[in-house]
Amino acid sequence: MPLDRDALSPLRESFPRTMPLDQGASDRWSPTKSSFTLSPGRVDNGTPAQSGSSDPAAGGPFNFNTTVMAKGPVVKSNIGQRRGHKYKHSSISHQIFLEPPPRAPLALPNSLPIPTWKECRASMSREQKTRFWWSVCHMFVAAYTLWTAHGSLAMTALSHLILFDSLGALLCVAVDVLGNFEVWKRSSIRHPFGLARTEVLAGFAMCVLLLFMGMDLISHNLQHFLEKAGHEPHHDHDHERASIGSVDVTAILAISSTLVSAIGLKNHARIGKAMRFGYIKSLPSVLSNPSHFLTLSCSTLLLLLPLVSIRIYDWLDKLLSGTIAISMCVLGVRLVKTLGSMLLMSYSGPGVPEVIKDIEADPAVHGVDDARFWQVHYGLCMANLKIRVSGSEETTSRLREKISSLIRNRLGGGYGTGGQKWEVSLQFTIERS
């Protein structure tokens, strides 16, 4: 049977039509037609539109019927949105961006709580409370000495020395109480050496005060000298002397309070070790401290002054006052220099050049490239050395022990002497021969 190519053409009469072709259908909804109406509720034939009709053309092209929105929450859809890409979850980046290895927690805490005044009072033991009240009594002795010093320039100088000793006794009690807390000795990131350096700072302030008191006594003595030379005095200085053969009670109080503070409270013990006065080092433990030696010697001389005549008493009083004032200035300058270098993290003690020479004298040592010695506080010093050596591992281990022992014995005073603790850090550079 031959194939007819025009069988399905719409021009043939046999072509099936599902709907009659209306010529005016295309113009039915045109606004130019007379049948077009603007009423949203009516169609072109005037029939009202049903609100529930399913006809899409119901109500005309402008359907403004009220629409009720849903009251439920709007569900967010991620369709058509791009989420941020995390590279570490990418299959390709597993080979590029590797997870860091787990890090062990730091051995040092970030910071430790600093105790308040209330916590310090609660942590004080019975012995610490007794020492505290004794330091307060020591201050009252200093005030009483200054109150009764109107008859002697030397007694005025002694009152300044007792004030310095009483402040040192109070500082010793404060250090002992703060030692009850972990923040005082334990290192942290905020305080690498604990709060022990606070004692150095307080001692530095006391030494500056001692220096200014010595200068004040010197100006006071110069003023008296000018008054005796014929100049008109600015103030009335009527100094009385103790009666001949009498016992000066103030001098006895000064001696007893100084001995109790020196023996019981170990007053100025750490400052005395940091000073290293060679002239009085061989004296007993109490007198080897320069501040105690100065206070006790002045009190003893004042106890003997009433035994001399009036003329000799007047000259001895002025001479003793000037000597004490100059000694206070010398001691204050020495203490300021020592504690100031300690605050600047440096070591001012003797014996460092000798230690370096002994290290270089070892046959396994080719040279000392760098050597740093510094003191953190009264009880801790550190030594960092960089040395060029040659030999085996056994030789290096022997040299490490030798240098550490040499530094601790020469600079720290040896084991059991109560000197400073030395932490030695050595870096060896092996040279091939």
Side-chain angles (χ1 to χ4, degrees):
M1 182 177 179
L3 178 64
D4 188 1
R5 296 181 177 180
D6 298 329
L8 298 178
S9 176
L11 301 178
R12 294 181 65 90
E13 294 179 358
S14 61
F15 180 76
R17 296 183 179 181
T18 59
M19 57 180 297
L21 187 59
D22 188 2
Q23 296 293 334
S26 60
D27 298 334
R28 182 176 298 173
W29 300 108
S30 175
T32 60
K33 300 294 288 182
S34 60
S35 62
F36 179 77
T37 177
L38 294 176
S39 175
R42 301 183 66 87
V43 294
D44 60 336
N45 55 2
T47 306
Q50 300 296 328
S51 60
S53 175
S54 60
D55 187 3
F62 301 99
N63 188 3
F64 298 107
N65 293 332
T66 304
T67 304
V68 180
M69 302 297 293
K71 295 184 179 180
V74 179
V75 180
K76 184 178 179 182
S77 176
N78 294 327
I79 300 176
Q81 298 182 4
R82 182 180 179 184
R83 301 179 62 186
H85 182 69
K86 298 182 179 179
Y87 289 98
K88 71 174 185 177
H89 296 296
S90 174
S91 59
I92 300 176
S93 61
H94 277 305
Q95 301 176 359
I96 303 175
F97 301 97
L98 300 177
E99 291 286 345
R103 183 178 298 178
L106 294 176
L108 297 178
N110 187 19
S111 63
L112 294 172
I114 298 178
T116 60
W117 171 251
K118 186 177 181 180
E119 293 174 347
C120 291
R121 289 182 57 187
S123 66
M124 291 176 65
S125 62
R126 184 176 181 179
E127 180 184 359
Q128 291 172 348
K129 291 180 180 179
T130 304
R131 297 175 64 185
F132 170 75
W133 288 114
W134 168 249
S135 62
V136 174
C137 294
H138 200 170
M139 285 188 174
F140 277 110
V141 172
Y144 176 77
T145 305
L146 182 62
W147 181 62
T148 58
H150 61 276
S152 174
L153 288 174
M155 189 65 71
T156 304
L158 178 62
S159 66
H160 289 68
L161 288 175
I162 298 176
L163 177 62
F164 178 72
D165 288 342
S166 62
L167 291 176
L170 186 62
L171 178 61
C172 291
V173 176
V175 169
D176 193 14
V177 173
L178 289 174
N180 299 333
F181 299 92
E182 191 178 16
V183 69
W184 182 258
K185 297 179 180 180
R186 186 179 177 185
S187 301
S188 61
I189 297 178
R190 187 173 182 179
H191 302 285
F193 305 101
L195 291 181
R197 283 176 60 83
T198 310
E199 182 185 4
V200 183
L201 184 60
F204 182 82
M206 287 174 48
C207 298
V208 173
L209 177 63
L210 180 66
L211 178 61
F212 276 100
M213 288 191 299
M215 296 174 64
D216 177 70
L217 288 175
I218 291 177
S219 65
H220 197 68
N221 290 330
L222 289 177
Q223 187 177 2
H224 274 269
F225 177 76
L226 293 176
E227 291 175 4
K228 294 295 183 180
H231 294 275
E232 184 178 356
H234 295 283
H235 302 282
D236 187 17
H237 295 280
D238 186 15
H239 292 284
E240 302 175 357
R241 65 177 298 275
S243 59
I244 299 177
S246 63
V247 177
D248 200 337
V249 180
T250 307
I252 296 178
L253 285 176
I255 293 175
S256 59
S257 61
T258 303
L259 289 176
V260 171
S261 295
I263 298 175
L265 275 69
K266 304 294 181 183
N267 188 17
H268 300 308
R270 287 180 286 271
I271 292 181
K273 292 179 180 178
M275 289 296 297
R276 298 182 178 90
F277 271 95
Y279 302 103
I280 58 177
K281 190 176 181 180
S282 59
L283 296 177
S285 59
V286 176
L287 297 177
S288 60
N289 193 312
S291 60
H292 296 158
F293 176 80
L294 195 59
T295 305
L296 292 175
S297 59
C298 177
S299 302
T300 304
L301 290 176
L302 283 175
L303 195 62
L304 298 176
L305 279 182
L307 301 179
V308 298
S309 62
I310 298 177
R311 184 181 298 273
I312 298 177
Y313 178 91
D314 187 43
W315 282 103
L316 286 179
D317 183 77
K318 295 178 180 179
L319 179 62
L320 182 58
S321 175
T323 304
I324 294 174
I326 295 175
S327 301
M328 290 172 65
C329 290
V330 173
L331 180 61
V333 170
R334 183 77 177 270
L335 285 172
V336 166
K337 182 180 178 181
T338 303
L339 299 183
S341 63
M342 197 180 301
L343 289 175
L344 295 176
M345 305 291 282
S346 62
Y347 181 73
S348 59
V352 175
E354 291 78 7
V355 170
I356 299 297
K357 290 181 180 179
D358 291 341
I359 294 174
E360 292 177 343
D362 193 279
V365 176
H366 290 268
V368 179
D369 294 336
D370 192 10
R372 303 295 177 91
F373 296 84
W374 43 296
Q375 187 170 1
V376 180
H377 48 78
Y378 293 116
L380 178 61
C381 299
M382 302 187 73
N384 302 327
L385 293 91
K386 187 177 180 180
I387 308 173
R388 290 180 285 108
V389 298
S390 63
S392 60
E393 294 184 0
E394 183 180 355
T395 304
T396 305
S397 178
R398 177 195 61 82
L399 190 61
R400 186 183 300 274
E401 294 179 359
K402 177 183 176 181
I403 294 176
S404 300
S405 177
L406 179 65
I407 292 175
R408 293 189 178 98
N409 292 330
R410 290 286 186 87
L411 303 180
Y415 179 78
T417 59
Q420 292 87 0
K421 176 184 176 182
W422 279 87
E423 293 186 0
V424 183
S425 176
L426 303 174
Q427 180 180 355
F428 290 146
T429 302
I430 306 298
E431 291 191 352
R432 305 296 179 182
S433 57

